[in-house]
Each structure stands twice: as structure tokens, then as C-alpha cells.
Amino acid sequence: MAIRILGGNVSPFVRKTRVFCAEKGIPYELEQISPLAPPEGWREKSPLGKIPVLEHDGRYINDSSVICLYLEKIHPQPPLYPSDPYEYARALWLEEFMDGGVVPHAGGVFRSLALQPVLTRKEPDAATIAAAEKVMNEQVAPLLAYLEAQLGTHEYFVGNRLTIADIAVASPFVNMRHAGFPPDKAKFPKLAEFVARMHARPSFKTCIEEERPVFGKRWK
């Protein structure tokens, strides 16, 4: 049975899962589902009401991190997790750093500056923009400084090759760019170059090109 990813394409977690599949060459179907207006019976598939959900052979798997680990098991080539135990742990940590650290702050900025204008057809006012800038400067910027240091002079975050860490780091930056906040090239030059490289990959480019007509008014 074909793999189906259930969730809205603008979610950084849905996008992470889609990019993971694309980098492995795993075919899948995407069913657009918004957690704000889920279909009847959604909680039977997603007990927490979150996206994405992976459907495979009539079974459902929740949480993007768990989903990617599952996909790695059933499609081990090319490997997107390091074999070295320490590097494996670092890759998982960077994924969690983004999912649990960066996204809660940056996600709110995306919602106020990119998502809400689409839903309400009203542009954000000056106060909303100022509040978003404050979050980016005070909450998100220190986290980006950590990423800048972790990347160092390397092209990838872990093991000098593409891993789940790179995919997990790059995905939320699509949402930040939708909101008009790409990584500051002056403050985070290495991170900015990394994000540009990752977003130019076909796996990311396909997702971005789908999203920009709807959410890309403030794209940078």
C-alpha cells in the first residue's frame, strides 16, 4: 500500500516528513488536513490532534520525528541518520532543538504574519509586526546563534553529509521566510548560506513552490 502523509503542507513538521521522503526517493501521497478544522474521526488517527500522521498498510504513525525513524527502518537507503552513536545522538538533539525550541517561537511569528492574513484577509498591523520582531530578536536570535556555532565551517550539521538534522533545521526556516524573517546574513552568515543551500535542493524547492503562492507575500 502507498504511503500517505496526512497534514497541511505549510506545517514545518509535515514539510520535514515530505523532504525526508523525497531525499530517500520514497513515493507518497499527501492528504491536506488542517488541525484547525480536522475531518471527522481525526482523533482516532491522531490522538493528540496534531500533524503529520503517516498511514502505511492501514496503520497510523504519529509525530514527524517518529515517522522519520520509521521510514528509515523500512527504507534504509540512503541513510539519513548517522551510524556513529555520538553523531546519531547529535542529529536527534538538533532535531529536538528545532522542534521543541525554535518552532514554538518562530511558529507564532509565522501564524501572526503569514497564516492569519491568509485566513482573515487582513494585513498585520504595526503592533503585530513589532511583537513579531521582538520575538525574533529576543527569543529566536539566541537560538540561531547556537545553530551558527554548531554548524561552524561545515556544509552539514552532523557527519559532513546530509542527515535528519539538516532537514529538521531547514524546514522551519521556510515558515520564517514566509513571515519575512530569513536568517540575518550579517549576524548568522554560515547559517544563512546553509538555509539557502538546503532550500535550493529539489526536495525543499518542490514544497516551497507549492506554498509561496498562498503564504509567500512577505517571503524573503
Side-chain angles (χ1 to χ4, degrees):
M1 181 179 177
I3 286 175
R4 297 173 68 220
I5 298 172
L6 313 180
N9 60 347
V10 78
S11 160
F13 306 121
V14 172
R15 189 186 307 110
K16 177 175 71 173
T17 306
R18 295 182 67 194
V19 169
F20 191 90
C21 284
E23 292 289 349
K24 279 186 166 289
I26 302 173
Y28 66 90
E29 300 173 3
L30 175 66
E31 181 178 342
Q32 293 282 354
I33 291 177
S34 170
L36 302 178
E40 185 176 353
W42 177 241
R43 288 282 181 158
E44 296 174 9
K45 300 174 182 178
S46 177
L48 297 179
K50 296 183 178 182
I51 56 175
V53 172
L54 185 82
E55 181 183 357
H56 185 217
D57 290 337
R59 297 179 291 186
Y60 298 97
I61 300 168
N62 292 268
D63 187 89
S64 62
S65 298
V66 176
I67 290 169
C68 290
L69 284 167
Y70 172 77
L71 293 171
E72 181 80 0
K73 288 291 187 181
I74 64 173
H75 291 276
Q77 298 298 325
L80 290 178
Y81 288 84
S83 58
D84 176 80
Y86 175 70
E87 291 184 346
Y88 178 82
R90 282 197 68 229
L92 295 184
W93 156 242
L94 287 165
E95 183 179 17
E96 173 57 25
F97 180 83
M98 296 302 297
D99 292 0
V102 175
V103 170
H105 297 298
V109 171
F110 165 76
R111 285 189 293 274
S112 64
L113 297 188
L115 180 59
Q116 283 300 318
V118 171
L119 297 177
T120 63
R121 299 184 181 180
K122 294 181 180 179
E123 291 301 309
D125 58 22
T128 301
I129 295 172
E133 291 174 344
K134 181 178 175 65
V135 170
M136 293 300 297
N137 290 331
E138 296 183 4
Q139 303 297 326
V140 177
L143 303 178
L144 303 192
Y146 174 81
L147 291 174
E148 177 83 1
Q150 290 298 303
L151 184 60
T153 60
H154 302 292
E155 184 174 355
Y156 300 106
F157 273 92
V158 179
N160 293 319
R161 66 176 181 85
L162 181 71
T163 69
I164 184 63
D166 305 295
I167 296 170
V169 169
S171 185
F173 279 101
V174 177
N175 297 75
M176 286 185 251
R177 293 180 75 185
H178 284 323
F181 290 102
D184 188 321
K185 293 180 181 180
K187 294 181 179 178
F188 315 114
K190 299 167 189 174
L191 182 61
E193 291 178 3
F194 166 83
V195 169
R197 287 195 305 271
M198 289 296 294
H199 288 181
R201 296 178 73 92
S203 57
F204 267 103
K205 193 173 181 180
T206 296
C207 296
I208 292 169
E209 288 178 350
E210 288 178 8
E211 299 170 33
R212 282 191 64 183
V214 178
F215 298 100
K217 189 172 183 179
R218 296 176 60 89
W219 179 268
K220 290 185 180 178

